[in-house]
Amino acid sequence: MTQKIKAIILDWAGTVVDHGSRAPMGAFVKAFAHFGVEITIADARGSMGMAKRDHIRLVGTTPAIAAAWRARHGTDFDDAAIDAIFEVFEPMNVAAVESHATLIPGARAALDWCAARGIRIGSTTGYTRPIMGRLMPLAAAQGFAPEVTICAGDLAAGRPAPLQIWSALAQMGIWPASSVIKLDDTAPGIGEARAAGCWAVGAALTGNNPGLSAEELASLSPDQRAALRQDASEPLLRAGAHLVIDTIADLPWLVEHIEARLAAGEKPGILEAN
């Protein structure tokens, strides 16, 4: 019998909700500013998709920001600094998700299509449990309520480790991993999928890399949109994505495409972390 797609594991911000993954950006900038260190939106976006504590570590240890921290505080950017920033950042991000919880256009129709086909929906996220405690009810009111949501901090390691996906699949009773698609807008999320042995698919136009609202994206010319698609796809493909789609609205085409590849005997394989 030809293998079918049994489940889709979805990222949250930039993939299903929060077009452009905008909620965390202001929180990162404000959290560092609280300690007298200025960072840019570009600085904050660089490691998006990782667990937020890991993300703070990577931002703070970049040479320019580490130097600014040392100049301001007289100490290196260390675990104590990460803890202090995270304590300020998390409640800011909790507050920010309230105004960035809208489903991405086409998401509800795509999810309904999956449900009609018997495809189950789980999720993983770089957000912590307190952030998701605020976001999940807002998404559920719009029709997005995955069976399982595994948050950053729930397990020993976050993305790009595969533990969150494996935990979701174990709770859902889904196997093999080759029957699962992971859709994510960030390189760490793609790495997570490849390490888990799932089909890794990037969402190019709604995520962290473009960082555009739905209205900003709609205002682009076809040529601008094509250039944006190429720029956003490249880091996802470098991270190991099997393919990249524009948005979650493309899920019906995606499922049928991957099922055709499965019917031809293709498997996603596991991409080992460096």
Side-chain angles (χ1 to χ4, degrees):
M1 182 177 178
T2 301
Q3 183 175 311
K4 299 288 188 179
I5 293 300
K6 297 179 181 178
I8 299 173
I9 303 297
L10 295 167
D11 173 56
W12 281 72
T15 301
V16 185
V17 300
D18 187 7
H19 200 294
S21 192
R22 297 158 83 91
M25 295 303 101
F28 269 110
V29 172
K30 290 177 183 177
F32 274 84
H34 181 83
F35 293 91
V37 174
E38 293 187 7
I39 69 169
T40 66
I41 293 294
D43 293 328
R45 285 199 180 278
S47 304
M48 191 57 62
M50 303 186 75
K52 293 298 169 269
R53 192 179 296 275
D54 294 337
H55 191 160
I56 290 169
R57 175 181 287 106
L58 285 178
V59 171
T61 53
T62 57
I65 296 171
W69 183 274
R70 194 177 303 110
R72 179 68 174 81
H73 295 280
T75 61
D76 288 338
F77 190 86
D78 55 12
D79 286 346
I82 293 166
D83 291 341
I85 292 175
F86 183 81
E87 186 174 349
V88 171
F89 164 81
E90 188 175 51
M92 289 180 176
N93 204 161
V94 169
V97 296
E98 291 206 2
S99 57
H100 294 86
T102 302
L103 291 191
I104 285 169
R108 179 61 186 272
L111 293 167
D112 288 346
W113 183 91
C114 291
R117 199 175 175 109
I119 296 171
R120 297 166 64 187
I121 302 296
S123 67
T124 69
T125 177
Y127 280 165
T128 60
R129 188 63 60 179
I131 298 170
M132 292 306 296
R134 183 70 62 90
L135 179 56
M136 286 191 292
L138 299 173
Q142 301 170 73
F144 179 51
E147 289 184 42
V148 174
T149 296
I150 309 299
C151 300
D154 285 354
L155 300 166
R159 302 165 174 173
L163 302 186
Q164 286 180 269
I165 285 181
W166 284 344
S167 179
L169 297 185
Q171 291 184 41
M172 296 168 73
I174 297 289
W175 67 282
S178 59
S179 68
V180 177
I181 295 169
K182 170 67 190 302
L183 181 64
D184 202 295
D185 67 294
T186 67
I190 295 299
E192 171 195 35
R194 290 304 308 265
C198 301
W199 292 92
V201 180
L205 296 185
T206 62
N208 172 66
N209 193 327
L212 300 182
S213 68
E215 294 75 19
E216 289 168 338
L217 181 64
S219 72
L220 298 181
S221 69
D223 286 347
Q224 289 173 320
R225 193 180 181 98
L228 186 71
R229 180 185 295 111
Q230 181 174 342
D231 288 345
S233 296
E234 285 176 357
L236 299 170
L237 292 168
R238 284 198 304 270
H242 293 98
L243 67 161
V244 177
I245 59 177
D246 283 357
T247 83
I248 190 174
D250 299 324
L251 273 184
W253 172 87
L254 174 68
V255 169
E256 291 175 351
H257 173 83
I258 290 181
E259 287 186 341
R261 292 171 68 169
L262 285 167
E266 187 175 347
K267 301 292 183 183
I270 295 178
L271 187 66
E272 297 291 343
N274 292 329

